[in-house]
Amino acid sequence: MRSFDRLIHSPSHQRLSMRTCLIAAVSENGFIGVNGDLPWRVKSDMMRFKHLTVGDGGEVNAVIMGRKTWDSLPDAHRPLSDRINIVLTKQIGWEKDGAETAFYPGQAMEIAFAEGCEEAWIIGGAGTYSAMFDRVDEIHLTTIHADVEGDVKMPEWDKSEWTEEVIERLEQSENDEHSSSYSIWRKK
């Protein structure tokens, strides 16, 4: 049964809204990736990512990503557990176990809503971020305090339309190769 059919045929489906958040880590010089991977190792950010995107366990959340982001996930973590994995792709016929396929941003949101998700998390990459900025309520941004080598940059976004609340600052440590700051940006 397709996701939309489950929504129509589910009498228990009561949700009328879904919170949509974008989550990213970006270096001081704007990079989010290198060679299909993160250009740093910051365990505290990975733990925060999982905690936020999974939730407290009582809800269903979705992660929406591009196909290249899906491909970059380590085999042991693909699909991302305890979340509906939705992959945006232009490749007709693309299917992978554990992934729902969407061909445009609105379809990805429809799938998450039809699955009864409380939250949909946009997790990258750059093209997916660009396509989804206008759909998000919050941006959860970790700034990695380093200039790094990379080949994928975070898309530009108009920060004047958002307010920033700095939540946490962490120093470099044994598990975090760089210091970082975690902020939540909310639409004004």
Side-chain angles (χ1 to χ4, degrees):
M1 184 180 295
R2 294 181 51 199
S3 298
F4 184 71
D5 296 330
R6 285 192 293 266
L7 173 67
I8 292 172
H9 299 294
S10 174
S12 64
H13 186 78
Q14 303 283 325
R15 184 154 326 286
L16 298 177
S17 66
M18 177 178 64
R19 191 169 81 120
T20 305
C21 303
L22 184 150
I23 189 166
V26 61
S27 66
E28 292 279 353
N29 56 336
F31 286 105
I32 60 173
V34 63
N35 300 321
D37 201 358
L38 296 174
W40 51 74
R41 294 291 170 250
V42 179
K43 186 175 181 179
S44 63
D45 187 57
M46 297 302 290
M47 291 171 53
R48 180 185 305 110
F49 173 89
K50 183 174 183 181
H51 173 76
L52 288 171
T53 61
V54 169
D56 64 17
E59 71 271 6
V60 176
N61 289 341
V63 287
I64 299 172
M65 69 194 90
R67 185 200 43 81
K68 290 178 189 174
T69 299
W70 169 269
D71 290 343
S72 75
L73 297 173
D75 291 341
H77 297 289
R78 187 177 48 229
L80 295 175
S81 62
D82 303 319
R83 292 153 279 195
I84 307 294
N85 286 236
I86 303 169
V87 179
L88 271 171
T89 183
K90 296 175 186 169
Q91 294 181 357
I92 302 299
W94 186 91
E95 290 183 17
K96 295 291 180 181
D97 288 340
E100 297 273 351
T101 305
F103 298 105
Y104 55 91
Q107 185 180 26
M109 298 300 292
E110 290 167 2
I111 292 169
F113 188 82
E115 293 286 349
C117 294
E118 288 188 25
E119 297 174 340
W121 290 87
I122 315 308
I123 67 168
T128 302
Y129 288 145
S130 291
M132 302 295 276
F133 266 124
D134 64 339
R135 298 175 184 270
V136 300
D137 305 308
E138 295 179 351
I139 297 171
H140 292 249
L141 188 67
T142 299
T143 301
I144 305 298
H145 297 296
D147 287 338
V148 300
E149 297 285 325
D151 54 20
V152 180
K153 282 203 162 199
M154 181 72 171
E156 295 292 323
W157 48 291
D158 186 357
K159 293 181 177 141
S160 70
E161 297 178 5
W162 300 78
T163 57
E164 178 187 24
E165 177 185 1
V166 177
I167 304 297
E168 184 176 36
R169 287 183 171 85
L170 295 173
E171 295 303 318
Q172 180 180 3
S173 70
E174 182 178 315
N175 292 319
D176 294 344
E177 70 180 0
H178 303 290
S179 61
S180 63
S181 300
Y182 167 61
S183 301
I184 300 175
W185 293 75
R186 293 181 178 90
K187 284 187 180 177
K188 290 184 178 178

